[in-house]
């Protein structure tokens, strides 16, 4: 019996070795021959309407037990591969939206499968710790080899969280704490502050505010929602604090043809930000921090220039407010740099950077100065919840980071991104009445249609022909592909898009 166990162990470890070798070879192959190394289909296949009959049946069953208003179709995740998502009706779509921008390496990537099979990772998958109180022995090592190895320049502190919104939520609290510490000089809380804190009254709960931007999206929990200004349905009937909301620049395209106008637009936005900070300060509701996306995603892929962000940072410095860059959607290499704000040439790091989506785990980086430091209170419980992230996701992130580095995926994003934007611009030149404002950085690209109806029509036409793409803003289509998205995928999109546009003329 013992021999049998031993020989099967040997067999398993030989298999694991072979598996590891295979994964390594595939990765190298990925660098040489193409990154979609996982038997990707050669193109989309559409057999039924989407959603098809099986999807509709499952939708009916699900709808009996929960709200299904947002469900698009049911997915066969086992059959989905690389850049292709398979549905339960046998349709296979080129996925340019990837679970709302959150699939870094495509479906069923062998590196992730391999990570699941490694014996040393097993414990992380089956034991979910309360990380704030009982972290596992390898936690420091895991954080260093994953998150800290890709930390934005100048940022040494990291906090994991479960999702995007709760990362934003806790990063906002961190800005409030830092502001308050500056105001009080770091002195311990008074008895009155302690008493009033639990009943939502000042001075324990001071009337501090956060400045956010029109068309920003930061999540749907209450603090994050207070800074979200995209669709009314996200906010309707929820009480919201009276915090300052500034205008985010609305640049005109092509940029080269509107330089002066765009500069004036950004100047006026910066002026408004200054005025709002002054106004709220005078009102006794000072701005503790500013939250901004490096590129507004959900709000319609709105870009601002590097100079705008540099001036924004100057304003935070002059006024003593914090600067939180929300990179939940723009992080993890999609713009061709690991963090989108690295494109802005900021003179110093932002104070906080939130992440989630493709990063597998939520969380935020911060500078030393923003690390909770109050005296005389239980510091560990100021930014805290039960799980505070998930080591199983960090195991996958470790794998992801090593694939990104080994396969030079940032380079792939830059190359594919340049090809993608030039392809969209070519389509724009062929269909100037339908495709407007082609724009992008890396593969984080988008274009507008003249109306919401036209946008929705094109989105559905693309889906019918096997391309899954995302909507944003009022009339935008946005590309949120994987990091292994390549030129031949762009060609497939272009062919299908062109034939769909011809039918719309
Ligand atoms: C910039 C940004 N911040 C925060 C969030 C919220 O993330 P989650 O949906 O994981 O709560 C999103 C989600 O789309 C986002 O795009």
């Amino acid at each position: 019996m013992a021999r049998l166990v031993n020989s099967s162990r040997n067999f398993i470890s030989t298999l694991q070795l072979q598996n590891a070798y295979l994964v390594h070879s595939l990765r190298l192959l990925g660098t040489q021959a193409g990154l979609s190394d996982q038997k990707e289909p050669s193109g989309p296949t559409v057999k039924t309407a989407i959603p098809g009959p099986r999807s509709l049946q499952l939708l009916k069953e699900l709808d009996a037990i929960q709200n299904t208003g947002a469900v698009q179709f049911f997915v066969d995740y086992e059959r989905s591969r690389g850049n292709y998502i398979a549905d339960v009706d046998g349709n296979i779509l080129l996925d340019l939206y990837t679970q709302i921008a959150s699939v870094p390496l495509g479906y069923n990537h062998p590196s992730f499968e391999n990570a699941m099979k490694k014996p040393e990772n097993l414990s992380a998958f089956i034991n979910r710790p309360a990380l704030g109180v009982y972290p596992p022995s390898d936690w420091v090592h895991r954080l260093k080899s994953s998150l800290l190895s890709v930390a934005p320049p100048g940022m040494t502190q990291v906090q994991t969280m479960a999702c995007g919104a709760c990362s934003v939520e806790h990063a906002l609290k961190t800005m409030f704490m830092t502001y308050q510490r500056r105001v009080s000089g770091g002195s311990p809380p008074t008895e009155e502050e302690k008493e009033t804190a639990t009943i939502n009254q000042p001075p324990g709960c001071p009337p501090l505010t956060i400045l956010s931007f029109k068309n920003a999206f930061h999540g749907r929990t209450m603090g994050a929602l207070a800074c979200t200004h995209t669709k009314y349905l996200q906010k309707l009937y929820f009480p919201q604090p009276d915090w300052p909301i500034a205008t985010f620049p609305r640049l005109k395209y092509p940029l080269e043809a509107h330089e002066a106008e765009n500069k004036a637009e950004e100047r006026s936005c910066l002026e408004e930000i200054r005025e709002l900070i002054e106004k709220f300060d005078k009102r006794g509701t000072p701005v503790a921090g500013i939250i901004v996306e490096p590129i507004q995603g959900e709000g319609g892929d709105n870009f601002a220039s590097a100079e705008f962000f540099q001036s924004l940072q100057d304003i935070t410095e002059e006024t003593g407010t914090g600067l939180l860059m929300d990179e939940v959607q723009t992080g993890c290499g999609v713009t061709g740099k690991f963090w989108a704000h690295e494109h802005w040439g900021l003179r110093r790091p932002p104070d906080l950077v939130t992440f989630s989506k493709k990063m597998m785990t939520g969380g935020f980086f911060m500078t030393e100065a923003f690390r909770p430091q109050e005296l005389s209170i239980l510091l560990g419980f100021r930014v805290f919840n039960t799980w505070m992230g998930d080591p199983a996701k960090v195991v996958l992130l470790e794998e992801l980071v090593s694939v990104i580095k080994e396969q030079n995926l940032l380079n792939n994003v830059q190359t594919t991104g340049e090809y993608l934007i030039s392809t969209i611009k070519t389509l724009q030149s062929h269909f100037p009445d339908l495709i407007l404002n082609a724009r992008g950085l890396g593969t984080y690209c988008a274009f507008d249609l003249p109306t919401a109806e036209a946008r929705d029509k094109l989105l559905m036409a693309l889906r019918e022909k096997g391309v899954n793409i995302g909507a944003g803003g009022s009339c935008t289509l946005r590309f949120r592909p994987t990091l292994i998205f390549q030129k031949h995928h762009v060609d497939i999109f272009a062919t299908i898009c062109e034939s769909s546009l011809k039918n719309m003329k």
Side-chain angles (χ1 to χ4, degrees):
M1 182 63 186
R3 253 186 36 216
L4 196 72
V5 171
N6 267 345
S7 78
S8 75
R9 270 203 197 123
N10 286 344
F11 177 65
I12 289 168
S13 63
T14 312
L15 264 185
Q16 273 161 355
L17 253 179
Q18 281 173 352
N19 198 3
Y21 177 74
L22 184 70
V23 168
H24 186 66
S25 316
L26 282 172
R27 279 188 190 170
L28 290 179
L29 190 76
T31 356
Q32 291 151 10
L35 306 162
S36 318
D37 47 22
Q38 330 143 41
K39 294 174 237 106
E40 236 191 26
S42 55
T45 310
V46 180
K47 295 178 173 168
T48 71
I50 302 172
R54 176 103 182 99
S55 258
L56 290 173
Q57 175 57 32
L58 288 168
L59 192 63
K60 203 169 143 198
E61 289 169 26
L62 185 62
D63 197 59
I65 50 174
Q66 63 173 229
N67 177 358
T68 55
V71 174
Q72 304 292 307
F73 52 82
F74 279 78
V75 176
D76 184 339
Y77 284 102
E78 266 176 58
R79 283 183 49 248
S80 301
R81 283 283 175 284
N83 291 282
Y84 289 88
I85 185 168
D87 77 0
V88 291
D89 289 283
N91 301 303
I92 295 173
L93 292 91
L94 177 64
D95 198 355
L96 305 181
Y97 195 40
T98 61
Q99 312 296 323
I100 324 180
S102 61
V103 181
L105 296 178
Y107 297 100
N108 291 302
H109 195 276
S111 294
F112 285 168
E113 282 181 21
N114 193 45
M116 294 285 298
K117 290 175 191 154
K118 283 183 190 163
E120 66 270 27
N121 291 340
L122 189 63
S123 162
F125 288 109
I126 59 176
N127 299 294
R128 188 166 186 184
L131 278 166
V133 277
Y134 307 112
S137 58
D138 57 1
W139 190 228
V140 179
H141 167 76
R142 296 264 191 210
L143 287 179
K144 284 187 176 167
S145 63
S146 58
L147 285 164
L148 287 170
S149 80
V150 292
M155 306 194 89
T156 56
Q157 306 291 305
V158 70
Q159 179 61 65
T160 53
M161 282 289 157
C163 68
C166 76
S167 307
V168 167
E169 206 72 34
H170 288 277
L172 294 179
K173 280 166 59 181
T174 304
M175 285 208 286
F176 287 132
M177 285 193 283
T178 308
Y179 184 89
Q180 199 59 25
R181 190 170 62 245
R182 282 189 193 141
V183 170
S184 72
S187 52
T190 62
E191 284 313 308
E192 191 192 5
E193 282 174 337
K194 289 186 201 166
E195 273 161 27
T196 50
T198 54
I199 51 167
N200 299 0
Q201 296 296 315
C205 297
L208 301 178
T209 60
I210 298 287
L211 184 143
S212 54
F213 289 89
K214 289 175 192 160
N215 296 310
F217 186 88
H218 299 291
R220 294 155 190 268
T221 51
M222 291 301 277
L225 189 64
C227 305
T228 287
H229 313 288
T230 42
K231 300 189 184 88
Y232 74 85
L233 67 88
Q234 289 152 353
K235 298 182 68 118
L236 191 67
Y237 305 140
F238 305 141
Q240 293 289 294
D242 180 14
W243 289 355
I245 307 165
T247 310
F248 193 80
R250 273 281 178 195
L251 300 189
K252 291 202 171 137
Y253 292 86
L255 294 177
E256 321 77 78
H258 297 91
E259 229 173 276
E261 250 175 296
N262 287 340
K263 272 201 175 129
E265 164 76 356
E266 293 194 333
R267 260 199 312 274
S268 120
C269 292
L270 289 163
E271 203 41 50
E272 186 189 337
I273 294 164
R274 280 205 178 83
E275 283 167 14
L276 281 168
I277 293 177
E278 209 180 300
K279 179 176 150 195
F280 274 70
D281 210 16
K282 278 194 187 139
R283 224 174 73 165
T285 54
V287 178
I290 296 181
I291 181 169
V292 67
E293 295 155 90
I295 306 161
Q296 289 190 330
E298 169 84 12
D301 280 42
N302 306 318
F303 285 76
S305 70
E307 292 74 30
F308 173 81
F309 283 100
Q310 289 165 14
S311 301
L312 184 65
Q313 187 172 48
D314 290 345
I315 293 177
T316 60
E317 210 163 60
E318 286 158 25
T319 55
T321 55
L323 179 60
L324 162 51
M325 281 280 172
D326 184 357
E327 293 247 25
V328 163
Q329 194 161 160
T330 49
C332 201
V334 294
T335 63
K337 291 191 189 282
F338 207 94
W339 302 103
H341 76 263
E342 291 179 69
H343 289 279
W344 309 149
L346 299 179
R347 282 176 277 278
R348 60 185 173 91
D351 300 309
L352 304 109
V353 173
T354 40
F355 54 82
S356 192
K357 291 200 187 266
K358 281 190 173 66
M359 290 295 285
M360 318 302 292
T361 172
F364 58 98
F365 294 103
M366 71 209 114
T367 57
E368 292 263 356
F370 274 69
R371 182 188 162 117
Q373 292 162 19
E374 295 123 306
L375 301 171
S376 315
I377 37 183
L378 282 168
L379 257 191
F381 293 96
R382 297 286 278 158
V383 170
F384 184 83
N385 66 13
T386 304
W387 279 329
M388 301 186 82
D390 180 354
K393 297 298 173 199
V394 174
V395 166
L396 296 180
L397 178 64
E398 248 182 334
E399 206 62 41
L400 167 61
V401 166
S402 77
V403 174
I404 290 176
K405 288 177 182 171
E406 275 176 36
Q407 294 195 0
N408 202 357
L409 290 185
L410 296 191
N411 195 35
N412 178 60
V413 170
Q414 285 160 20
T415 316
T416 311
E418 278 162 24
Y419 189 64
L420 175 59
I421 194 65
S422 76
T423 303
I424 301 170
K425 284 182 177 164
T426 306
L427 284 167
Q428 181 171 325
S429 69
H430 293 166
F431 301 92
D433 300 334
L434 287 172
I435 294 203
L436 316 168
N437 306 328
R439 56 199 183 275
L441 198 52
T443 54
Y444 199 101
C445 291
F447 60 84
D448 296 334
L449 280 99
T451 61
E453 294 72 39
R455 186 270 312 273
D456 296 345
K457 198 169 165 193
L458 180 59
L459 186 144
M460 292 315 287
L462 289 170
R463 184 191 290 179
E464 276 165 24
K465 291 183 162 73
V467 172
N468 190 42
I469 195 166
S474 56
C475 48
T476 303
L477 282 183
R478 54 177 157 159
F479 294 78
R480 296 294 180 270
T482 66
L483 304 175
I484 57 164
F485 183 59
Q486 290 175 276
K487 287 183 180 175
H488 64 273
H489 300 116
V490 177
D491 290 337
I492 291 171
F493 159 76
T495 309
I496 293 177
C497 188
E498 190 167 7
S499 78
S500 306
L501 288 165
K502 276 182 188 153
N503 291 338
M504 281 174 69
K505 265 193 158 179

